[in-house]
């Protein structure tokens, strides 16, 4: 009997991790379009000049909340203080052209120190940080939007997904910085400490 229960638990666990990203259910599907090389290069050039990071951050925030609703969790509040802490790190990643949780500036060397540097009254409890680097070309080759590509990356990474799925998190701060055709994405999760 114990072997049967163990086998069922393993199958349920494996099935849970093999599902398609549930946030896809909330996103509109775009028809497949074939482009010439000139058209493709124009799109890349246009996206490099005109990508609106504020709207992309809001789109990712929306997708995070749709995912959290899908798995039965409360939605998150987009918090400006957490966004400032996330911006410190996304700017740093942009400046060194590398995605990292570390920062050589002593005052900002860890996620918690970055949050403390902008939250002087300690009103927010730190719950986790997600950092990633995304490439326009990679997303396009997988026929994904950038926001879908970002969520796909978190969904397929168990450690990132655990942070996204923390039930005690009530707030998030998001910052994205662009370097050529790459995006440095940081999300910091927290909870009100008042």
């Amino acid at each position: 009997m114990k072997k049967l229960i163990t086998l069922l638990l393993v199958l349920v666990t494996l099935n849970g991790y093999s599902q398609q990203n549930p946030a896809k259910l909330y996103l509109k599907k775009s028809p497949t379009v074939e482009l010439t090389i000139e058209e493709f290069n124009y799109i890349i050039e246009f996206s490099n000049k005109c990508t609106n990071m504020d709207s992309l951050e809001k789109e990712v925030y929306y997708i995070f909340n749709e995912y959290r609703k899908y798995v039965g969790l409360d939605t998150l509040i987009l918090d400006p203080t957490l966004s400032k802490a996330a911006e410190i790190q996304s700017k740093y990643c942009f400046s060194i052209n590398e995605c990292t949780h570390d920062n050589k500036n002593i005052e900002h060397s860890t996620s918690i120190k970055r949050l403390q540097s902008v939250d002087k009254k300690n009103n927010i409890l730190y719950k986790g940080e997600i950092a990633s680097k995304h490439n326009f070309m990679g997303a396009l080759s997988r026929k994904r939007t950038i926001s879908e590509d970002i969520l796909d990356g978190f969904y397929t990474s168990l450690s990132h997904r655990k942070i996204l799925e923390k039930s005690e998190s009530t707030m998030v701060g998001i910052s994205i910085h662009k370097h050529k055709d790459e995006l440095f994405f940081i999300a910091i999760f927290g909870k009100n400490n008042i």
Side-chain angles (χ1 to χ4, degrees), residues 46-73:
F46 179 81
S47 70
N48 285 339
K49 291 179 183 174
C50 302
T51 303
N52 182 327
M53 291 303 115
D54 288 338
S55 66
L56 185 56
E57 289 169 3
K58 288 176 185 165
E59 186 178 335
V60 171
Y61 167 69
Y62 173 80
I63 290 174
F64 275 7
N65 276 332
E66 290 301 315
Y67 174 76
R68 285 178 60 91
K69 284 192 278 188
Y70 181 84
V71 296
L73 296 170

Side-chain angles (χ1 to χ4, degrees), residues 162-176:
K162 281 183 178 179
I163 293 170
L164 182 58
E165 292 179 354
K166 279 188 178 179
S167 61
E168 63 269 14
S169 292
T170 58
M171 305 182 291
V172 65
I174 297 171
S175 180
I176 303 173

Side-chain angles (χ1 to χ4, degrees), residues 18-189:
S18 67
Q19 295 175 9
Q20 274 197 331
N21 183 338
K24 290 179 189 178
L25 300 173
Y26 297 96
L27 299 172
K28 293 180 180 177
K29 300 279 183 195
S30 300
T32 303
V33 177
E34 291 188 25
L35 301 172
T36 66
I37 291 175
E38 293 81 20
E39 290 169 327
F40 182 76
N41 287 335
Y42 174 77
I43 289 170
I44 297 302
E45 183 181 328
F46 179 81
S47 70
N48 285 339
K49 291 179 183 174
C50 302
T51 303
N52 182 327
M53 291 303 115
D54 288 338
S55 66
L56 185 56
E57 289 169 3
K58 288 176 185 165
E59 186 178 335
V60 171
Y61 167 69
Y62 173 80
I63 290 174
F64 275 7
N65 276 332
E66 290 301 315
Y67 174 76
R68 285 178 60 91
K69 284 192 278 188
Y70 181 84
V71 296
L73 296 170
D74 292 334
T75 58
L76 301 166
I77 296 167
L78 186 59
D79 182 76
T81 302
L82 286 170
S83 291
K84 285 179 187 174
E87 184 175 22
I88 291 168
Q89 191 61 14
S90 67
K91 280 183 178 178
Y92 177 75
C93 292
F94 168 84
S95 72
I96 64 169
N97 194 24
E98 182 183 326
C99 186
T100 179
H101 290 280
D102 300 322
N103 190 313
K104 290 186 179 176
N105 179 333
I106 300 293
E107 185 180 324
H108 302 140
S109 60
T110 67
S111 305
I112 293 172
K113 286 184 177 183
R114 288 188 287 280
L115 177 57
Q116 290 170 342
S117 75
V118 294
D119 181 25
K120 301 292 186 194
K121 295 182 180 179
N122 200 25
N123 291 328
I124 301 172
L125 292 173
Y126 173 81
K127 293 296 173 184
E129 177 182 78
I130 297 174
S132 65
K133 182 177 179 179
H134 294 271
N135 182 289
F136 280 114
M137 299 296 288
L140 287 173
S141 71
R142 291 184 291 279
K143 298 180 181 168
R144 309 293 286 147
T145 66
I146 294 296
S147 56
E148 289 172 324
D149 199 53
I150 288 170
L151 188 60
D152 288 347
F154 299 149
Y155 182 77
T156 57
S157 164
L158 183 59
S159 60
H160 283 140
R161 188 165 29 155
K162 281 183 178 179
I163 293 170
L164 182 58
E165 292 179 354
K166 279 188 178 179
S167 61
E168 63 269 14
S169 292
T170 58
M171 305 182 291
V172 65
I174 297 171
S175 180
I176 303 173
H177 271 76
K178 187 170 182 280
H179 183 266
K180 298 181 182 174
D181 67 339
E182 295 179 321
L183 299 171
F184 295 95
F185 175 87
I186 306 290
I188 299 181
F189 297 80

